[in-house]
Amino acid sequence: MDFSARLKELESFERKDNKASLSSMLKQNGFTRRDFLKYSSAMAAMLGLSSTFAPTIAKAIELADRLPVIWLHMAECTGCSESLLRSDAPTIDSLIFDYINLEYHETIMAASGFQAESNLENAMKKHKGKYILMVEGAIPAGQSSFYLTLGAHAKKGEEIAKQACNNAAAIFAIGACSSFGGIQAAAPNPTNAMPLSKITNKAVINVPGCPPSEKNIVGNVLHYVLYGTLPALDNYNRPKWAYENRIHDLCERRGHFDAGEFVQSFGDEGAKKGYCLYKVGCKGPYTFNNCSKLRFNQHTNWPIGAGHGCIGCSEPDFWDNMGPFEEPLKSHLFKSISADATSDKIGIGVLTLTGLTIAAHAVISSVKKD
Amino acid sequence: MQKIVVDPITRIEGHLRVEVVVDDNNVVKEAYTGSTLWRGIETIVKNRDPRDVGFMTQRICGVCTYSHYRAGIEAVENALGIIPPKNAKLVRTLMNAALYLHDHCVHFYQLHGLDFVDVVSALSADVKKAEEEALKWCDKPLACGVGDLQAVKEKLKNFVDKGDLGPFANAYWGHKTYRFSPEQNLIALSHYLECLKIQRTAAQLTAIFGAKQPHPQSLTVGGVTCVMDILDPSRIGEFKTKFLEVSDFVHRAYLADIKMAASVYKNEASVMNDIGVDNFMCAKEFYLGDEYLFEGGVLLNVLSNPTLSEIDESAITEEATHSWYKNDAALHPYDGEQEPHYTGFKDEKTLDENAKLVDTKVFDTEGKYSWIKAPRYKGLPVQVGPIATILINYFKKNPIVVKEVDALLKELNIELKDLLSTLGRTAARMIEAKIVSENALKALDSLVENLKVDDSTCAAYVIDKNKEYKGRFIGNAPRGMLSHWVRIKDGVVSNYQAVVPSTWNASPKDAKKQMGSYEACIIGLKIADLTKPLEIIRKIHSYDPCIACAVHVFDKKGNELGRYKVGV
């Protein structure tokens, strides 16, 4: 990857305001250069790069204000937008509002009605082929597309999403719904809700999670800015930098798993001691995400930290495949391969074995303990 | 007579459309509000393990992210006859309090505020005068010193100078019903930016005992799972500290700005005298250990003949005369029945943003026009929300509420009837936030006291597959009264229905043509400029619409709705 060439390309973009340098803008917004570089280092670490890339990232972010972003809401709950708003240090929300040109986002934008529709149309026209498209929510598709209409012309959501995809430079499906269909696509999927990738021929990067953490949403935009290409993806088109490891791999309770110390029921003595949650249904061994490392809400907590097992929310069709959420997967684990194809090419057979091994381990160690 | 369409209504959760018919003086004669998205979550939870329901119903909404989680869990607990341990109940209160503070602050600044605040006007503010203005409404206003305000002004100028307003583009700036002075706009804008910071802290409050926000994950049927966080004194300290930080914002920004807004906007016709539906309902809420902070009840006919009573659960029904479902009959939520029946839009010419008549789609207002059903109480439409909680508790003489309401009325020199308005809905939300911010830590104190003698967090239970169960949750979400109703048979969910705040308020007309509160409050409204219907948006936003929550369906017969033939 030639970073210097990419940076030159970024620099060749027309500046929105040649007079305002990033440093002066940051200063006006109450950030020091130091804060900013600290943030860039954190981002470098998060993207799996060495800290020598921090200045490169800083430069890339500096240029990011020229990146128009269109965010669409389809069949969704707005949880992903809420997660975006939680973006953190140093006050990333302000960075987003100031340095990414957020052309359309229904939860935040001031315009309504005809004016809002015009904003979308103008943005797609003005930034044709250059904008980043982020889509939240699944899409009622085909003969069921009438389950979502928008605007005075009652356009189908599917039609709007397709159009926006056609003219985007990069497309991110934000959240479990947009990536894989999510809750509304769970059986019996009464609205024929589809993932974004099923309604467009363009490449879609999936950023699943219900919702994905604020870091996974923002980090992907930065990844695009930095590389100018799509990030390395796993079998489900999830960026490897975020979804490469299993929850189980870096779990803070892993030691208890290895020691055969399990919570047998919520609220028991093991729960008070932070034992492994596998036997009360944790899906961490089958789920690929960086929650164990980055947690949520500025590292405040995460499901396993709060004593509840992982429900597998960044895996395809997890609503149908991972339940009941408070019981181990056991025999019904492999009714679908959804959770089993992995970024690091572990085949289904291997992970099946892993799954069985985990189950066997839990049983054996429990016998030992009890 | 002219019809105008506002779709999408932005700065809300979900997909909402408003249509109005105005006369030659631009006065609204007819109003129709409908949702244009259906997801079918109640159908999806059927035949599932009752323990999973809370996780799925939570995904009804990522804004009321905790409300539907708790409702799904507690409806099942109610059905199974489970009483969770006191510690669990208190933790649930603390998470609810965190959500209220988060939600109300974000609603006023990020979602509703721009209906009152002309961002562009703030550019011409005199910062010294603005500081003086801020001091009128608070002894120690937040982020309103000359230096703070100068920084905000420069930030705004820099932003506007870029020539691209991003999310602020193409709004109704300069509209004649904006009434703040440039200085007042600057103060509110400063707090808009502060709120973007404090909302992160408020979300962390939920995450401390809830794992994450949105979509926390520490409730389970029978109790809570966050026993380590509860037993960790540093977590208790973290909660208290961050709670006080958010509470500080409520007092030094939110309270002050509402008073400032009320002083100016109480003379603006488009925020006054729009009671909407004059029946109100709320549930008791915020268990503090020995008592509840707010009482529940029903207050009917406030304008003509106010009558106060307790909620009669059997009097709640939903019907679908004007909703895109087949069966129109009014049925109790336990026995509801509905199948999607989409009949689409009609072609018509309406006014666009340039005041030209263009081909658009419009609701078939004689037929069906919304995915939202029409809930009724004793056959009557009801308004829910913070205004209902505040009014009902005022009528019930809840001393905390009476004190706050009387103080505000006195300071603003307005009467109780003036609260029956857009301004009142917005002010009631702030009063509720203030009361929660000043009282919810009592639950934390109770938790600490109780932990000295009892560290249980979960109640044991069994689900007998040979038994049938039914149960419900009735409580309040930040937007108003929320109820979930569940039936369990053969160990799985056989029926599920959520009757939510925005369903009550955003309901379409019923068989008797009675309007829901959104529609009712727009009637009689005069619109200054038909191409910029700011007045309509302002009124609708005052309810804090949450439309994904409002749209739901279940089918008693257990059919797969995906197979229904739908008339397009």
Side-chain angles (χ1 to χ4, degrees):
Chain A
M1 185 70 62
D2 184 349
F3 294 102
S4 56
R6 174 62 186 151
L7 283 178
K8 270 186 192 147
E9 187 196 337
L10 289 169
E11 277 174 337
S12 71
F13 286 17
E14 193 189 340
R15 266 191 185 282
K16 247 192 299 195
D17 177 11
N18 283 314
K19 285 170 286 183
S21 70
L22 180 76
S23 49
S24 69
M25 288 159 95
L26 282 173
K27 210 173 159 191
Q28 281 163 13
N29 287 300
F31 309 122
T32 64
R33 186 77 192 168
R34 192 185 152 85
D35 286 336
F36 185 62
L37 288 175
K38 208 165 96 188
Y39 173 73
S40 303
S41 303
M43 274 298 164
M46 213 175 79
L47 296 170
L49 302 170
S50 82
S51 59
T52 53
F53 285 109
T56 319
I57 290 177
K59 186 74 184 169
I61 298 170
E62 201 164 336
L63 294 161
D65 63 324
R66 270 154 273 138
L67 271 184
V69 173
I70 292 174
W71 180 297
L72 295 182
H73 289 78
M74 294 287 134
E76 46 81 42
C77 76
T78 312
C80 298
S81 287
E82 290 280 331
S83 188
L84 171 73
L85 283 174
R86 310 288 182 268
S87 293
D88 62 336
T91 47
I92 186 68
D93 45 12
S94 191
L95 273 172
I96 285 176
F97 289 125
D98 291 341
Y99 307 112
I100 289 172
N101 186 7
L102 192 56
E103 294 269 4
Y104 189 88
H105 188 298
E106 285 174 23
T107 320
I108 301 167
M109 65 194 292
S112 273
F114 279 99
Q115 283 84 355
E117 276 193 281
S118 296
N119 282 4
L120 180 57
E121 280 159 24
N122 293 340
M124 286 196 285
K125 213 182 290 170
K126 187 173 155 198
H127 304 294
K128 192 173 179 179
K130 288 185 181 165
Y131 59 85
I132 288 189
L133 176 67
M134 304 179 99
V135 177
E136 175 178 6
I139 298 142
Q143 291 191 330
S144 297
S145 57
F146 57 81
Y147 283 119
L148 170 60
T149 65
L150 282 159
H153 304 281
K155 269 196 196 171
K156 310 271 171 63
E158 185 185 16
E159 191 187 333
I160 294 170
K162 272 184 179 162
Q163 196 191 351
C165 283
N166 287 339
N167 298 318
I171 304 167
F172 293 97
I174 303 294
C177 299
S178 182
S179 295
F180 303 127
I183 182 82
Q184 48 278 311
N189 191 356
T191 60
N192 193 33
M194 290 289 161
L196 185 63
S197 58
K198 289 267 174 70
I199 64 137
T200 177
N201 295 324
K202 306 259 295 199
V204 174
I205 299 173
N206 290 328
V207 186
C210 191
S213 71
E214 69 276 12
K215 291 189 180 85
N216 285 5
I217 297 173
V218 177
N220 274 300
V221 176
L222 291 175
H223 197 289
Y224 176 77
V225 171
L226 184 62
Y227 293 94
T229 57
L230 308 183
L233 305 175
D234 72 1
N235 292 356
Y236 291 115
N237 288 341
R238 297 176 294 199
K240 282 188 177 180
W241 69 263
Y243 298 90
E244 191 158 39
N245 293 308
R246 272 173 294 263
I247 299 286
H248 191 56
D249 296 338
L250 295 173
C251 181
E252 65 201 23
R253 299 186 185 222
R254 180 60 187 263
H256 291 296
F257 173 84
D258 292 341
E261 295 166 339
F262 294 93
V263 173
Q264 306 290 336
S265 67
F266 292 121
D268 70 4
E269 284 307 307
K272 286 173 201 159
K273 291 176 183 163
Y275 284 1
C276 174
L277 297 161
Y278 177 79
K279 293 173 106 181
V280 283
C282 183
K283 307 302 184 293
Y286 321 103
T287 305
F288 292 81
N289 206 334
N290 52 10
C291 318
S292 331
K293 192 170 145 196
L294 299 180
R295 303 187 180 194
F296 292 83
N297 301 96
Q298 299 82 55
H299 217 79
T300 301
N301 208 348
W302 67 304
I304 289 171
H308 198 285
C310 164
I311 62 169
C313 74
S314 49
E315 297 307 311
D317 306 326
F318 75 99
W319 292 112
D320 290 337
N321 294 336
M322 298 284 194
F325 296 116
E326 298 180 350
E327 276 180 24
L329 279 180
K330 292 180 189 162
S331 57
H332 56 273
L333 167 57
F334 302 110
K335 68 183 177 189
S336 147
I337 61 158
S338 67
D340 304 328
T342 78
S343 54
D344 48 359
K345 309 288 187 213
I346 291 180
I348 178 160
V350 178
L351 191 59
T352 302
L353 193 61
T354 311
L356 294 175
T357 310
I358 288 166
H361 173 81
V363 173
I364 292 163
S365 53
S366 151
V367 170
K368 272 197 312 200
K369 281 278 156 189
D370 298 344
Chain B
M1 299 291 263
Q2 176 58 54
K3 183 173 285 180
I4 59 172
V5 175
V6 192
D7 181 359
I9 299 281
T10 53
R11 283 181 282 126
I12 63 166
E13 196 297 319
H15 298 280
L16 177 68
R17 162 187 278 243
V18 176
E19 291 182 9
V20 297
V21 177
V22 295
D23 67 11
D24 295 342
N25 297 315
N26 288 359
V27 172
V28 175
K29 293 293 171 188
E30 297 170 40
Y32 305 91
T33 64
S35 171
T36 60
L37 166 68
W38 181 64
R39 297 164 73 215
I41 289 178
E42 281 88 343
T43 307
I44 293 163
V45 301
K46 282 168 54 176
N47 300 316
R48 306 227 178 212
D49 191 311
R51 294 170 298 171
D52 285 358
V53 163
F55 297 95
M56 306 194 86
T57 57
Q58 176 175 27
R59 270 66 187 189
I60 288 174
C61 184
V63 178
C64 347
T65 172
Y66 173 68
S67 306
H68 290 288
Y69 184 22
R70 179 173 67 127
I73 295 279
E74 293 192 1
V76 171
E77 285 172 348
N78 181 256
L80 299 173
I82 300 167
I83 310 284
K86 189 172 182 180
N87 293 331
K89 287 168 71 177
L90 289 166
V91 167
R92 290 178 184 183
T93 295
L94 292 171
M95 289 173 65
N96 201 29
L99 176 69
Y100 264 67
L101 295 190
H102 181 273
D103 213 82
H104 286 357
C105 292
V106 168
H107 176 258
F108 182 64
Y109 289 99
Q110 270 67 48
L111 306 183
H112 195 20
L114 301 181
D115 304 331
F116 297 96
V117 181
D118 185 334
V119 172
V120 177
S121 147
L123 277 174
S124 52
D126 176 324
V127 291
K128 186 79 191 66
K129 276 193 200 160
E131 184 193 61
E132 286 162 16
E133 174 69 21
L135 282 164
K136 280 190 209 163
W137 306 107
C138 179
D139 293 340
K140 286 172 249 171
L142 190 75
C144 282
V146 167
D148 302 311
L149 294 169
Q150 186 63 33
V152 171
K153 197 176 151 182
E154 281 170 17
K155 179 173 182 161
L156 178 65
K157 184 171 183 312
N158 183 41
F159 184 74
V160 171
D161 284 350
K162 282 192 202 174
D164 205 330
L165 289 177
F168 299 111
N170 214 7
Y172 305 144
W173 312 131
H175 194 278
K176 64 183 270 192
T177 65
Y178 276 125
R179 284 176 163 259
F180 272 163
S181 66
E183 287 73 27
Q184 290 169 326
N185 282 314
L186 184 63
I187 291 165
L189 183 63
S190 179
H191 292 157
Y192 179 100
L193 297 172
E194 288 299 312
C195 189
L196 285 175
K197 296 177 195 163
I198 207 72
Q199 58 96 19
R200 275 197 300 266
T201 311
Q204 286 176 327
L205 276 178
T206 300
I208 289 170
F209 296 121
K212 61 195 179 96
Q213 204 271 27
H215 296 334
Q217 196 164 313
S218 67
L219 265 52
T220 184
V221 172
V224 294
T225 67
C226 52
V227 58
M228 289 178 79
D229 296 308
I230 295 169
L231 294 173
D232 180 347
S234 76
R235 279 299 212 190
I236 303 281
E238 190 181 349
F239 188 92
K240 193 163 183 173
T241 306
K242 287 184 193 295
F243 190 92
L244 293 174
E245 215 178 301
V246 179
S247 171
D248 188 56
F249 178 86
V250 169
H251 288 82
R252 292 171 59 204
Y254 190 10
L255 167 62
D257 288 351
I258 290 289
K259 288 196 283 192
M260 181 172 82
S263 74
V264 175
Y265 278 89
K266 69 180 181 183
N267 299 316
E268 164 56 43
S270 70
V271 299
M272 302 307 293
N273 307 316
D274 56 13
I275 186 170
V277 167
D278 77 338
N279 304 312
F280 297 86
M281 182 157 60
C282 74
K284 69 178 177 184
E285 195 53 86
F286 292 104
Y287 170 73
L288 299 175
D290 302 315
E291 51 175 1
Y292 282 81
L293 184 53
F294 296 116
E295 296 178 55
V298 182
L299 180 59
L300 300 178
N301 305 314
V302 171
L303 290 182
S304 48
N305 175 29
T307 52
L308 192 61
S309 61
E310 297 307 307
I311 299 170
D312 172 4
E313 292 176 24
S314 67
I316 296 172
T317 57
E318 288 197 294
E319 62 136 281
T321 307
H322 291 284
S323 314
W324 282 312
Y325 306 104
K326 268 187 189 163
N327 191 342
D328 295 347
L331 297 170
H332 189 269
Y334 277 133
D335 305 312
E337 190 180 321
Q338 52 197 12
E339 300 171 18
H341 179 57
Y342 183 69
T343 51
F345 289 84
K346 298 201 306 191
D347 293 310
E348 205 168 301
K349 285 191 186 299
T350 65
L351 278 187
D352 75 358
E353 61 191 304
N354 303 311
K356 280 188 192 141
L357 277 174
V358 291
D359 288 328
T360 55
K361 300 283 183 190
V362 296
F363 286 140
D364 174 8
T365 53
E366 293 302 307
K368 295 175 181 291
Y369 63 89
S370 180
W371 287 113
I372 296 173
K373 292 178 75 183
R376 295 292 182 260
Y377 182 81
K378 293 185 176 167
L380 297 169
V382 168
Q383 185 176 161
V384 298
I387 185 71
T389 303
I390 296 305
L391 280 179
I392 287 164
N393 279 270
Y394 189 82
F395 273 75
K396 281 193 157 184
K397 300 189 169 42
N398 178 332
I400 295 174
V401 173
V402 170
K403 178 173 157 260
E404 291 299 332
V405 171
D406 284 344
L408 192 74
L409 295 181
K410 192 176 169 206
E411 182 167 356
L412 296 172
N413 193 24
I414 56 175
E415 294 174 42
L416 188 66
K417 70 171 174 48
D418 294 324
L419 289 182
L420 303 173
S421 62
T422 286
L423 185 74
R425 280 185 286 274
T426 303
R429 189 169 287 109
M430 180 279 296
I431 293 172
E432 192 176 69
K434 181 170 184 283
I435 291 173
V436 168
S437 78
E438 289 169 359
N439 293 280
L441 284 180
K442 286 177 191 167
L444 194 72
D445 296 339
S446 299
L447 177 65
V448 171
E449 279 308 306
N450 196 55
L451 283 172
K452 292 173 186 170
V453 293
D454 165 25
D455 65 359
S456 62
T457 46
C458 281
Y461 62 93
V462 258
I463 302 175
D464 184 343
K465 291 194 174 171
N466 298 316
K467 269 178 76 176
E468 285 189 44
Y469 304 93
K470 67 170 183 175
R472 89 289 182 270
F473 163 86
I474 298 180
N476 290 339
R479 285 158 193 80
M481 196 185 89
L482 169 68
S483 60
H484 280 211
W485 310 74
V486 64
R487 282 178 186 268
I488 299 167
K489 195 183 170 189
D490 302 327
V492 295
V493 174
S494 59
N495 265 332
Y496 205 91
Q497 182 141 17
V499 185
V500 320
S502 297
T503 316
W504 288 100
N505 291 336
S507 102
K509 290 168 187 64
D510 58 24
K512 291 186 232 157
K513 302 208 174 205
Q514 297 180 106
M515 290 179 279
S517 206
Y518 287 11
E519 291 183 350
C521 83
I522 310 175
I523 301 291
L525 175 67
K526 187 173 166 64
I527 299 172
D529 177 349
L530 293 183
T531 68
K532 294 177 179 169
L534 175 61
E535 301 91 333
I536 292 176
I537 291 162
R538 195 180 269 152
K539 286 190 188 300
I540 297 293
H541 279 161
S542 72
Y543 293 90
D544 195 2
C546 206
I547 301 305
C549 304
V551 177
H552 55 95
V553 61
F554 85 122
D555 164 29
K556 175 175 169 178
K557 296 192 185 90
N559 295 323
E560 281 186 28
L561 293 174
R563 289 186 190 157
Y564 289 145
K565 289 198 175 65
V566 178
V568 184

